[in-house]
Amino acid sequence: MPHALITGASDGIGRALVDVYHAKEWDITATARRPAEAIMPELPCAYVPLDLTTGAESLLEKLPPKLDLAILNAGAGKVAAPADHSAEDVAQMIALNTTAPLLLAQALFPRLEGGTLAFIGSTAARGAHKDFSVYAATKAALSGAARSLALEWEGLVKVLMLHPGPTATTMHDKAGLGDIAARRFFTPPAKVAASLADAIDRGKNRRLGAAYTARHALEGLFK
Ligand SMILES: NC(=O)c1ccc[n+]([C@@H]2O[C@H](COP(=O)([O-])OP(=O)(O)OC[C@H]3O[C@@H](n4cnc5c(N)ncnc54)[C@H](OP(=O)(O)O)[C@@H]3O)[C@@H](O)[C@H]2O)c1
């Protein structure tokens, strides 16, 4: 059976990705910070609790020697005007959204030969959104690194950069986004996870942008 690592798998898109790959009968190792008791036994796979900003040694020890897929999905944002982002906010977002996936990608490289590494970015990396400057910067930096890694590892590890659009997870509450009307058009995480898995199957970089979000919003209205 193929084996996938999924980070940020306790909630939102990552949790939905676990369900997608479980339905495909893959072996999965999932990771996030919250303790195992908080998500087991519902999570149908192995789980390693870990704060990815503090290093990934304890995760690497528990992974099999060969992985077919790693989806580096853990991430977080903070909605704030530039002047309201403290130095600590900036450092934390860079640590989780940029530094952690890049260091983990390097550490996973030997196990992933012949497999796929998928970074989860955001449409915010290319579009412009008020009050998302630091988050957008962290995802744009990751995107730049992914383009470079895709060339460096060509023929060895397939590197994909996938950009979800607005998704109805709890990320926005945690980030401090208010109860804006646009939220009702956010795509359900299960649909986003299915689209991400489809892009991974096809080996294609993908941006799930406005047209994608609008299509699902319309589907929702006519259900
Ligand atoms: N929701 C959107 O609209 C949207 C749009 C575009 C891109 N994205 C991206 O998609 C990815 C998933 O977002 P989501 O909406 O599913 O967010 P979410 O529901 O908040 O889930 C984030 C996941 O990351 C984990 N995590 C957070 N901090 C961590 C840390 N320090 N170490 C390890 N794990 C950590 C969380 O688990 P614990 O709390 O248990 O650690 C959780 O499993 C992120 O990279 C996000 O930037 C989201």
Side-chain angles (χ1 to χ4, degrees), residues 7-15 31-35 47 50-54 72-77 96-97 120-124 135 139 162-172 174 186 189:
T7 74
S10 63
D11 208 351
I13 296 169
R15 180 64 185 81
T31 183
R33 281 170 310 178
R34 65 196 72 176
Y47 178 69
L50 169 72
D51 183 337
L52 281 167
T53 64
T54 61
L72 306 191
N73 160 76
L96 178 61
N97 296 349
I120 301 300
S122 167
T123 49
Y135 176 74
K139 294 293 188 176
L162 305 173
H163 294 290
T167 308
T169 67
T170 57
M171 178 179 139
H172 305 97
K174 297 173 205 164
F186 288 6

Side-chain angles (χ1 to χ4, degrees), residues 147 150 159-163 199 203-207:
R147 285 196 297 277
V159 177
L160 298 174
M161 184 78 225
L162 305 173
H163 294 290
K204 295 259 185 252
N205 288 330
R206 192 143 173 207
R207 190 162 177 255

